[in-house]
Amino acid sequence: MRKPFIAGNWKMNTDGHSGPELVKAVGQGFTQLDREKVDVAVIPPFVYLAQIVNAAKASRIAVGAQDIFYEQKGAFTGEISANMIKDVGCNYCLCGHSERRHVIGEGDELINKKVHAAINGGLLPILCVGELLEEREAGNTEQVVERQVKKDFAGLSVEKARAVTLAYEPVWAIGTGRTATPQQAQEVHAMIRELLAGLYDKSFADDMRIQYGGSVKPDNAKELMQQQDIDGLLVGGASLKADDFLAIIKASIAA
Ligand code: 13P
């Protein structure tokens, strides 16, 4: 059985006051019983990570970074290494989020290096993949996602690849209010699992948690989580409101 995993990607939101308040409010609504049934993480902006790790301590909500650089240290102005993220008490980091792919311009070769660096630095990467609207409309969803998964996992042994959580986030569903239907999401999740079975083996694929992301809200979380191959949710906007994020966590337990 794959334990549900709900993560809140705060993106470039919150500040030194609202972030700790938010994580504390989520922690207070997240009971001991819930903790046994679901893993929860928040993913704040870099500059607040240490503060959020501290504010999240009592709740056992895990904390992750939104990105990392692939080198360990050195003359890379403005970049942050996996070791630094680990050092401030984080467990997770996003790799290849669609906003980094399509706003900043990251490609699969770079993302693959970041996935390797995250794992070598002791972090658990949440690797994001997903197609653009025009790619879906052209009937290329499977091809695009397959290419991303193959390139982003390149060179990872099965032992190392076990550290990864995948997140399928169709770009057209992010921040648009236009969620993929549970059936559309399930179809891609099942395809990814089959692909992983081919790249590694069936037991690896069966164990891999695959999150869905893109306009997840309290009212669609349960139906998404009821799909056989959807094991978690990567939540953007709705993770910025404690009540909504808690409702999504509860819905995932109830599914
Ligand atoms: P929204 O939930 O705001 O659509 O964002 C999804 C996302 O990009 C999470 O990483």
Side-chain angles (χ1 to χ4, degrees):
M1 271 304 287
R2 299 180 291 264
K3 189 176 180 186
F5 178 20
I6 310 298
N9 175 9
W10 293 359
K11 307 193 180 183
M12 201 170 73
N13 294 295
T14 70
D15 57 30
H17 177 73
S18 65
E21 295 275 295
L22 176 57
V23 79
K24 280 183 190 158
V26 174
Q28 277 158 13
F30 182 46
T31 67
Q32 178 63 39
L33 200 64
D34 296 338
R35 279 172 219 161
E36 288 159 20
K37 295 186 177 154
V38 60
D39 290 332
V40 173
V42 294
I43 309 177
F46 282 127
V47 291
Y48 303 120
L49 285 175
Q51 217 181 334
I52 299 300
V53 166
N54 196 35
K57 246 177 209 153
S59 66
R60 295 195 187 277
I61 293 173
V63 182
Q66 297 176 14
D67 187 33
I68 53 157
F69 192 56
Y70 59 80
E71 294 286 356
Q72 285 188 17
K73 61 177 181 171
F76 305 102
T77 303
E79 297 296 339
I80 311 277
S81 71
N83 309 46
M84 293 171 181
I85 298 300
K86 183 83 187 161
D87 190 38
V88 295
C90 293
N91 302 106
Y92 292 97
C93 70
L94 296 180
C95 290
H97 188 274
S98 86
E99 285 138 25
R100 297 217 57 89
R101 289 178 189 264
H102 300 295
V103 182
I104 315 291
E106 291 191 7
D108 288 303
E109 244 176 69
L110 175 61
I111 293 163
N112 174 250
K113 284 186 180 175
K114 292 186 176 190
V115 173
H116 278 268
I119 298 168
N120 293 338
L123 293 175
L124 302 168
I126 301 175
L127 168 63
C128 307
V129 298
E131 80 287 1
L132 296 163
L133 183 60
E134 56 264 36
E135 292 167 334
R136 174 161 284 262
E137 286 176 343
N140 293 335
T141 299
E142 184 168 339
Q143 207 182 317
V144 169
V145 172
E146 181 174 333
R147 188 188 63 227
Q148 291 172 336
V149 171
K150 281 186 173 163
K151 289 191 169 176
D152 301 346
F153 273 85
L156 280 186
S157 65
V158 67
E159 293 76 23
K160 287 197 172 177
R162 282 189 194 283
V164 177
T165 297
L166 262 166
Y168 168 58
E169 297 203 300
V171 181
W172 48 272
I174 297 178
T176 58
R178 187 179 162 188
T179 328
T181 65
Q183 293 70 29
Q184 282 175 321
Q186 164 59 25
E187 208 172 279
V188 179
H189 282 232
M191 182 277 286
I192 293 173
R193 204 175 300 284
E194 207 179 302
L195 175 63
L196 293 171
L199 288 179
Y200 294 95
D201 58 45
K202 184 163 183 318
S203 98
F204 172 86
D206 286 343
D207 290 345
M208 171 67 63
R209 292 193 291 191
I210 310 176
Q211 298 175 319
Y212 166 80
S215 297
V216 173
K217 304 284 178 240
D219 62 2
N220 59 25
K222 187 171 172 187
E223 209 188 335
L224 285 161
M225 285 298 293
Q226 280 169 339
Q227 305 304 308
Q228 195 184 339
D229 290 290
I230 300 184
D231 312 309
L233 302 166
L234 183 54
V235 186
S239 72
L240 295 170
K241 293 187 194 134
D243 288 349
D244 283 359
F245 194 52
L246 279 166
I248 290 168
I249 294 168
K250 307 258 179 217
S252 79
I253 298 172

Short mmCIF file of all heavy atoms in Angstrom, two decimals, residues 2 16 30 32 44 48 67 69 74 78 88 115 132 155 171 189 191 223 229 255:
data_model
loop_
_atom_site.label_atom_id
_atom_site.label_comp_id
_atom_site.label_asym_id
_atom_site.label_seq_id
_atom_site.Cartn_x
_atom_site.Cartn_y
_atom_site.Cartn_z
N ARG A 2 0.49 2.20 -0.84
CA ARG A 2 1.23 3.45 -0.90
C ARG A 2 0.56 4.47 0.03
O ARG A 2 -0.63 4.76 -0.12
CB ARG A 2 1.26 3.98 -2.34
CG ARG A 2 1.95 3.01 -3.30
CD ARG A 2 1.97 3.55 -4.71
NE ARG A 2 0.65 3.59 -5.32
CZ ARG A 2 0.16 2.64 -6.12
NH1 ARG A 2 0.87 1.57 -6.39
NH2 ARG A 2 -1.04 2.76 -6.63
N GLY A 16 7.66 36.35 6.50
CA GLY A 16 8.20 35.86 7.77
C GLY A 16 7.14 35.76 8.86
O GLY A 16 7.37 35.10 9.90
N PHE A 30 -3.88 18.85 12.29
CA PHE A 30 -3.36 17.60 11.76
C PHE A 30 -3.06 16.69 12.96
O PHE A 30 -2.05 16.87 13.63
CB PHE A 30 -2.10 17.98 10.97
CG PHE A 30 -1.39 16.88 10.26
CD1 PHE A 30 -2.06 15.95 9.50
CD2 PHE A 30 0.00 16.80 10.32
CE1 PHE A 30 -1.37 14.96 8.83
CE2 PHE A 30 0.70 15.82 9.65
CZ PHE A 30 0.00 14.89 8.90
N GLN A 32 -2.56 13.26 15.53
CA GLN A 32 -1.69 12.09 15.62
C GLN A 32 -2.21 10.97 14.70
O GLN A 32 -1.45 10.32 13.99
CB GLN A 32 -1.66 11.61 17.08
CG GLN A 32 -0.83 10.38 17.33
CD GLN A 32 0.65 10.60 17.03
OE1 GLN A 32 1.18 11.66 17.33
NE2 GLN A 32 1.28 9.62 16.41
N PRO A 44 8.04 26.01 1.23
CA PRO A 44 8.07 27.49 1.25
C PRO A 44 9.23 28.06 0.43
O PRO A 44 10.12 27.31 0.02
CB PRO A 44 8.30 27.82 2.73
CG PRO A 44 8.40 26.52 3.46
CD PRO A 44 8.63 25.44 2.45
N TYR A 48 12.76 31.42 3.91
CA TYR A 48 12.00 31.13 5.14
C TYR A 48 12.16 29.68 5.60
O TYR A 48 11.52 29.28 6.58
CB TYR A 48 10.51 31.45 4.93
CG TYR A 48 10.27 32.87 4.51
CD1 TYR A 48 9.65 33.17 3.30
CD2 TYR A 48 10.69 33.93 5.32
CE1 TYR A 48 9.45 34.48 2.91
CE2 TYR A 48 10.49 35.25 4.93
CZ TYR A 48 9.87 35.51 3.72
OH TYR A 48 9.68 36.81 3.33
N ASP A 67 13.47 24.19 -5.19
CA ASP A 67 14.47 23.94 -6.21
C ASP A 67 15.80 23.71 -5.51
O ASP A 67 15.92 23.99 -4.31
CB ASP A 67 14.57 25.18 -7.14
CG ASP A 67 15.46 24.94 -8.35
OD1 ASP A 67 15.51 23.81 -8.85
OD2 ASP A 67 16.10 25.92 -8.81
N PHE A 69 20.37 23.60 -6.68
CA PHE A 69 21.36 23.57 -7.76
C PHE A 69 22.07 22.22 -7.69
O PHE A 69 22.08 21.58 -6.65
CB PHE A 69 22.33 24.74 -7.63
CG PHE A 69 23.19 24.92 -8.86
CD1 PHE A 69 22.61 25.11 -10.10
CD2 PHE A 69 24.58 24.90 -8.77
CE1 PHE A 69 23.39 25.26 -11.24
CE2 PHE A 69 25.37 25.06 -9.91
CZ PHE A 69 24.77 25.24 -11.14
N GLY A 74 30.58 26.17 -4.02
CA GLY A 74 31.53 26.82 -4.92
C GLY A 74 31.00 28.11 -5.50
O GLY A 74 30.06 28.71 -4.98
N GLY A 78 24.08 32.89 -6.19
CA GLY A 78 22.62 32.86 -6.20
C GLY A 78 22.03 31.47 -6.08
O GLY A 78 20.81 31.32 -5.93
N VAL A 88 19.50 22.80 6.84
CA VAL A 88 18.51 23.60 7.58
C VAL A 88 17.31 22.75 8.03
O VAL A 88 16.36 23.27 8.61
CB VAL A 88 18.02 24.86 6.84
CG1 VAL A 88 19.14 25.86 6.63
CG2 VAL A 88 17.33 24.52 5.52
N VAL A 115 18.05 16.10 -9.88
CA VAL A 115 17.50 14.90 -9.21
C VAL A 115 18.66 14.09 -8.62
O VAL A 115 18.61 13.68 -7.45
CB VAL A 115 16.67 14.05 -10.20
CG1 VAL A 115 16.25 12.73 -9.57
CG2 VAL A 115 15.43 14.82 -10.66
N LEU A 132 2.05 20.70 -21.78
CA LEU A 132 1.40 21.99 -22.05
C LEU A 132 0.05 21.74 -22.71
O LEU A 132 -0.19 20.67 -23.26
CB LEU A 132 2.27 22.82 -23.01
CG LEU A 132 3.64 23.24 -22.51
CD1 LEU A 132 4.53 23.67 -23.67
CD2 LEU A 132 3.49 24.39 -21.50
N GLY A 155 20.22 7.48 -15.63
CA GLY A 155 21.40 7.20 -14.81
C GLY A 155 21.12 6.92 -13.35
O GLY A 155 22.06 6.74 -12.57
N VAL A 171 0.32 21.26 -17.24
CA VAL A 171 0.59 22.69 -17.12
C VAL A 171 -0.69 23.53 -17.27
O VAL A 171 -0.87 24.53 -16.59
CB VAL A 171 1.68 23.12 -18.15
CG1 VAL A 171 2.00 24.60 -18.02
CG2 VAL A 171 2.94 22.30 -17.96
N HIS A 189 -1.40 8.84 -14.90
CA HIS A 189 -0.71 8.17 -13.78
C HIS A 189 -0.46 6.69 -14.08
O HIS A 189 0.62 6.16 -13.81
CB HIS A 189 -1.53 8.31 -12.48
CG HIS A 189 -1.40 9.65 -11.84
ND1 HIS A 189 -1.07 9.82 -10.51
CD2 HIS A 189 -1.56 10.90 -12.34
CE1 HIS A 189 -1.03 11.12 -10.23
NE2 HIS A 189 -1.33 11.79 -11.32
N MET A 191 -0.23 5.35 -16.99
CA MET A 191 0.78 5.28 -18.05
C MET A 191 2.19 5.45 -17.45
O MET A 191 3.12 4.72 -17.78
CB MET A 191 0.48 6.39 -19.08
CG MET A 191 1.38 6.44 -20.27
SD MET A 191 2.92 7.32 -19.98
CE MET A 191 2.33 9.02 -19.95
N GLU A 223 -12.17 12.90 -4.92
CA GLU A 223 -12.39 12.12 -6.14
C GLU A 223 -11.06 11.83 -6.86
O GLU A 223 -10.85 10.74 -7.41
CB GLU A 223 -13.35 12.85 -7.08
CG GLU A 223 -14.12 11.87 -7.94
CD GLU A 223 -14.94 12.56 -9.01
OE1 GLU A 223 -15.31 13.75 -8.84
OE2 GLU A 223 -15.20 11.91 -10.03
N ASP A 229 -4.28 5.04 -9.26
CA ASP A 229 -2.86 5.36 -9.38
C ASP A 229 -2.51 6.76 -8.90
O ASP A 229 -1.40 7.23 -9.11
CB ASP A 229 -2.41 5.15 -10.83
CG ASP A 229 -2.40 3.68 -11.18
OD1 ASP A 229 -1.53 2.96 -10.65
OD2 ASP A 229 -3.29 3.22 -11.93
N ALA A 255 -10.56 9.18 1.22
CA ALA A 255 -10.75 8.61 -0.13
C ALA A 255 -10.56 7.10 -0.16
O ALA A 255 -9.86 6.54 0.64
CB ALA A 255 -9.77 9.28 -1.09
#
